[in-house]
Amino acid sequence: MSLRFMTAGESHGPGMLAVIEGLPAGLEVDLDFIDAELRRRQAGYGRGARQRIEADAAEPLSGVMQGRTMGGPVVLRIPNRDSRLDDATKTPPVHQPRPGHADLAGSVKWLTTDCRATLERASARETAARVAAGALARCLLRRFGIESFGFVRASLDVTCTAAVTLENWKSLRAARDASEVGMPCADASAKLVDRIHQAKVEKDTVGGLVEAHVFGCPIGLGTCVQWHERLDARLGAAVMGIQAFKAVEIGMGRECAFRTGSQVHDPIAFDASRRNEPHLGFVRTSNNAGGLEGGMTNGMPVVVTGTMKPISTLLRGMPSVDLNTKAPVTSAYERSDISAIAAASVVLENVVAFEIARAFLEKFGGDSMAQLEASHRAWVDLARRLPLEG
Ligand code: EPS
């Protein structure tokens, strides 16, 4: 069975749920790690008042016994403290759709002039469940030395120029964690705090560019055999599925269009002294491919970038129309974030990891961790002995 998950829940309902199916039995569920990821997702300069109400933590409702998976679906519940969906006085109808939000398209789709039901489910609150699922998948990946690292690369006129390498990513992670905006370059981080503050003063919002690097993937996760099973296709879908994301890139991404082949492709060499690394000694001097060739991992770090548009709820409002009267109005405002770009980098880091875990389980399989570990060991042993013939 392929690893998969589904989420349920409304932004102001009783809670968010993630139903994760396909994990082998015997996986240690590190709830402290999952909760730390949930807390990181809540943080970041520019977050709104909602995050001072919520204290996200995951409660396993099924599939876990004494801290380990049992082989059945795992349900993680993240309660909403701001739960008020059944109280009509606290959830008034919304008739003024916000440009950029799901309000207009959803209301017409469901044949209503009240945007409430659409916005409740479309809300990026749902990413709490996705982070929980991704963090659970990372409990598995970490057993095989696979780690995911996400951060904010750029926003408005601010860019963190640090190159991420196998050698420096842990110190960058520490710098990211010290940043109020999830950006591991101290000067740029301070500048971005100023920019977000300025947007707040102007009752405006910001988005940005977030990046995830996954280290330690063995060669050959994913496949070139079917278009929808290519790992880059799945990563693309997972990243574009994050609320407010308008673009996804792998490695050098769109910049490839402006260069010739010799300036893009990563030369291959063999270094026998490094054959115990994930690339089995097939070293590259660059990683423009972002660790993916032909829909499969190539042993280099997987690098995925996502573009988040600015938050669509603006305190200053945007031109809109009342869905009942069709008269011009200013779009609705209740409460919002100025920026959720730091949160978006946490979401990216975790959704990317989930797809890697899915591909990992498809390659190595197994109903139990013991079987999975044995299958992984056997494959690595064969791959190191190539060529097998003779
Ligand atoms: C969101 C609107 C805001 C955000 C929310 C996403 O919520 P509220 O309307 O309750 O203030 O804070 O994000 C979260 C609650 C979260 O946990 O990320 C929206 O409309 O998308």
Side-chain angles (χ1 to χ4, degrees), residues 38-101:
L38 289 173
R39 276 196 301 278
R40 252 178 11 94
R41 193 202 67 89
Q42 287 196 267
Y45 187 80
R47 285 292 244 165
R50 178 76 187 272
Q51 300 312 321
R52 292 198 287 278
I53 302 170
E54 302 300 337
D56 291 347
E59 296 169 7
L61 296 187
S62 78
V64 180
M65 182 171 67
Q66 292 151 29
R68 285 182 190 271
T69 54
M70 300 161 71
V74 174
V75 176
L76 296 177
R77 175 176 184 265
I78 303 150
N80 285 333
R81 288 187 172 180
D82 189 6
S83 169
R84 51 181 151 99
L85 214 51
D86 279 335
D87 183 342
T89 62
K90 292 183 182 159
T91 49
V94 177
H95 301 299
Q96 309 87 4
R98 292 159 292 177
H101 212 283

